[in-house]
Amino acid sequence: MSDLTGPQDAASRINTSIAHPARIYDYLLGGKDNYAADREAAENLVKVSPGTREGVQAHRAFLRRTVRHLAAEAGITQFLDIGTGIPTQGNTHEVAQQVDPEARVAYVDNDPIVLVHGRALLKGHSPGTTTVIEADLREPDAILSHPEIRGLIDFTRPVAVILAGVLHFITDEEKPYALVEQFKAAVPAGSHLLLSHITLDFAPQVRNEDFTKPYDKSTAPMVPRTHADVMRFFDGWQLIDPGLVEVVLWRPDANREQIPGGHAWAYGGIAIKP
């Protein structure tokens, strides 16, 4: 359910005993907004994939490069970032508003701690350009009809829908493709879909159940998908160069990330609504 309450109420609902993907990710990025259950899950993940920390950093760098492209080259001025995670350096609004100070960014996450820290981070920003709400990707209607979202995002103009590192927490039973189609249908032609997703395509030696086990006791399981599976999320839209590729290969900077084992275990891409 979406939430209209403030950060104080959100803080009271943080369950520290169960690992949450946003806090696991925060720990892997070197953040401090995590708890024992999150750290245990993260360390178990590192045991399976020693390059996990570097891979997470590469995933974050991919987000910065893609958002910069959308703001600087594609001319996108509105961003709907779903499953944003706990704020860290190089957030979507920081990258987009560095290019265009008037860019509008709406953050969505289902962990109350994201609302707490997100609201604190945004206090110093110009009112009306950035917002953060607590809501769940599994409830597109609640997100798309939320008054803060409707008040900030003009759905008659192109929007960048960002689903970075979040869809692998949606099981097949929760119909991830149908969820994404609802967001795609809500935005007009010229909108962009920025998406990244964990895969085991680069790690044939790793069993799916071993890789996903650290998330078994978290608030959401891990569901790696193949290249063909991830491509389906872009159905009907036009992928831009270089297509759907490993995140480290998407228009890399000169100082390309070095990942132990050579792979970030995640695909990423951007597509345009025709």
Side-chain angles (χ1 to χ4, degrees):
M1 297 291 291
S2 61
D3 182 76
L4 299 178
T5 56
Q8 285 187 334
D9 178 74
S12 70
R13 291 181 287 102
I14 297 170
N15 187 343
T16 63
S17 64
I18 301 176
H20 189 285
R23 300 195 301 264
I24 294 172
Y25 194 75
D26 174 73
Y27 174 73
L28 292 169
L29 281 171
K32 298 179 180 179
D33 298 307
N34 49 74
Y35 302 94
D38 309 305
R39 294 190 286 272
E40 180 183 0
E43 289 298 340
N44 287 334
L45 191 60
V46 171
K47 289 177 184 177
V48 179
S49 171
T52 293
R53 282 189 174 86
E54 293 81 2
V56 166
Q57 295 283 356
H59 214 148
R60 193 73 188 179
F62 162 79
L63 178 63
R64 289 194 291 269
R65 294 196 307 276
T66 48
V67 170
R68 191 179 305 118
H69 163 82
L70 290 170
E73 299 178 43
I76 295 294
T77 61
Q78 304 187 105
F79 300 80
L80 178 59
D81 189 341
I82 304 167
T84 180
I86 296 169
T88 183
Q89 290 184 341
N91 297 290
T92 296
H93 76 280
E94 293 170 326
V95 177
Q97 290 170 0
Q98 187 175 39
V99 175
D100 177 5
E102 300 301 315
R104 297 179 169 225
V105 180
Y107 290 116
V108 181
D109 202 282
N110 68 351
D111 186 351
I113 199 171
V114 174
L115 182 68
V116 173
H117 290 277
R119 290 274 168 88
L121 176 71
L122 299 176
K123 274 186 177 178
H125 284 262
S126 303
T129 58
T130 312
T131 192
V132 55
I133 68 166
E134 182 188 346
D136 199 305
L137 166 61
R138 299 168 185 83
E139 299 180 350
D141 289 338
I143 294 172
L144 294 168
S145 64
H146 194 288
E148 289 192 41
I149 300 295
R150 304 301 300 190
L152 187 69
I153 304 295
D154 178 358
F155 285 95
T156 67
R157 295 171 47 237
V159 179
V161 177
I162 300 176
L163 294 165
V166 64
L167 286 167
H168 43 252
F169 297 116
I170 306 296
T171 65
D172 290 341
E173 291 73 23
E174 291 170 318
K175 302 180 179 179
Y177 299 104
L179 294 175
V180 173
E181 287 303 320
Q182 284 189 254
F183 290 107
K184 288 162 66 178
V187 296
S191 293
H192 289 59
L193 175 62
L194 189 173
L195 188 150
S196 60
H197 199 295
I198 292 294
T199 184
L200 287 181
D201 284 0
F202 306 109
Q205 76 283 6
V206 177
R207 296 193 311 164
N208 188 81
E209 53 267 36
D210 292 336
F211 184 72
T212 60
K213 188 175 182 180
Y215 285 91
D216 286 351
K217 295 181 181 179
S218 78
T219 58
M222 169 74 80
V223 186
R225 293 187 170 94
T226 66
H227 187 273
D229 293 334
V230 180
M231 279 291 292
R232 285 183 57 196
F233 289 114
F234 295 102
D235 280 357
W237 289 34
Q238 299 170 351
L239 275 163
I240 68 170
D241 289 337
L244 180 65
V245 296
E246 191 177 7
V247 291
V248 293
L249 299 178
W250 200 97
R251 305 189 185 186
D253 295 330
N255 57 338
R256 178 178 160 188
E257 305 84 4
Q258 296 300 312
I259 311 298
H263 293 288
W265 295 15
Y267 287 119
I270 294 178
I272 304 174
K273 185 171 185 175

